[in-house]
Amino acid sequence: KINRMKPLATMKILFLAVFMFLMLPTHAQDIAIGNWQTHFPVNSMVSVTQSQDEVFYAGEQMILILDKAEQSVSRLDKVAGLTQVGIRVIKYYAEMELLLVAYNNGNIDLVDKDRNIVNISDIKRYSLISEKKINHIYFNKNFAYLSYSFGLVKLDLDRQEVKNTFLTDGFGVNASLLIDETVYMSTDEG
């Protein structure tokens, strides 16, 4: 003899199973209403530098920060305080515990160890120079020497301002170095 359940009992069991499934904890988002979360590509990094405790990987739109001891990852992006997107190169200066972020348009951000960010937009705003591609960053004492497609910029890191600009005539500066108070510049011409 086959015991067949009544259709009403079957419907009750099915309804109970669906109801129990819907009551399982669900999770839609980690972000509160009114807050922003960014989703930048991380498959094309443009620059890397490191401090004693962290490694900084820069993509054009953000910087990933790997804590060496904790093996944790955090990030800096426009939502977290960077001035813009379009990062060209980053360089860490251990003596001042400072990360310099240079953008494709000449804009510069200085990021201190507490993640405070100061923007220096003098080069970006200088309209007489069209191409502002940075090629190299060299630190010496409290100065950063920035090698650009138009010449060399001496940046005062204490005062957070451009100290000097040396325009070259028709050639860019690939790298620079200071030896005995003399600045040496590497160009395609020598």
Side-chain angles (χ1 to χ4, degrees):
K1 197 173 185 182
I2 299 175
N3 186 6
R4 295 184 182 213
M5 294 180 68
K6 296 180 183 176
L8 186 60
T10 304
M11 290 297 286
K12 285 181 181 179
I13 292 172
L14 182 62
F15 176 76
L16 184 60
V18 169
F19 181 75
M20 294 293 284
F21 177 75
L22 292 176
M23 296 280 74
L24 290 174
T26 57
H27 183 69
Q29 297 179 12
D30 286 334
I31 188 165
I33 294 174
N35 291 334
W36 288 91
Q37 183 174 10
T38 56
H39 300 279
F40 293 125
V42 293
N43 58 347
S44 61
M45 303 313 260
V46 295
S47 186
V48 64
T49 188
Q50 67 178 325
S51 69
Q52 184 175 350
D53 303 321
E54 298 172 312
V55 180
F56 303 91
Y57 299 94
E60 286 191 10
Q61 300 175 350
M62 70 166 171
I63 299 170
L64 291 177
I65 304 164
L66 171 67
D67 185 296
K68 294 178 185 178
E70 295 179 13
Q71 295 293 305
S72 62
V73 177
S74 59
R75 68 180 179 196
L76 279 175
D77 54 29
K78 193 169 178 185
V79 173
L82 289 180
T83 304
Q84 64 179 71
V85 296
I87 297 170
R88 167 100 174 135
V89 66
I90 60 174
K91 181 92 179 217
Y92 184 79
Y93 187 31
E95 193 171 306
M96 294 184 77
E97 296 181 310
L98 185 73
L99 179 69
L100 191 147
V101 181
Y103 298 94
N104 290 322
N105 63 358
N107 208 5
I108 297 169
D109 281 341
L110 300 176
V111 184
D112 70 14
K113 64 180 177 179
D114 297 321
R115 304 289 188 257
N116 298 312
I117 300 170
V118 173
N119 178 250
I120 301 172
S121 62
D122 296 351
I123 299 163
K124 175 186 172 187
R125 291 183 289 116
Y126 190 63
S127 62
L128 295 179
I129 301 169
S130 58
E131 185 180 338
K132 300 169 183 172
K133 184 177 96 172
I134 187 165
N135 296 317
H136 182 256
I137 301 169
Y138 171 72
F139 295 110
N140 185 284
K141 298 180 182 170
N142 62 328
F143 295 102
Y145 294 84
L146 310 174
S147 302
Y148 278 94
S149 55
F150 60 83
L152 185 71
V153 173
K154 183 178 181 181
L155 187 66
D156 187 327
L157 298 172
D158 285 333
R159 297 180 66 158
Q160 301 169 341
E161 66 184 15
V162 172
K163 182 78 171 173
N164 262 323
T165 302
F166 307 95
L167 299 175
T168 54
D169 190 21
F171 60 90
V173 178
N174 297 325
S176 62
L177 178 66
L178 182 74
I179 301 174
D180 296 329
E181 301 303 315
T182 302
V183 177
Y184 294 90
M185 295 183 283
S186 167
T187 68
D188 288 340
E189 306 298 320

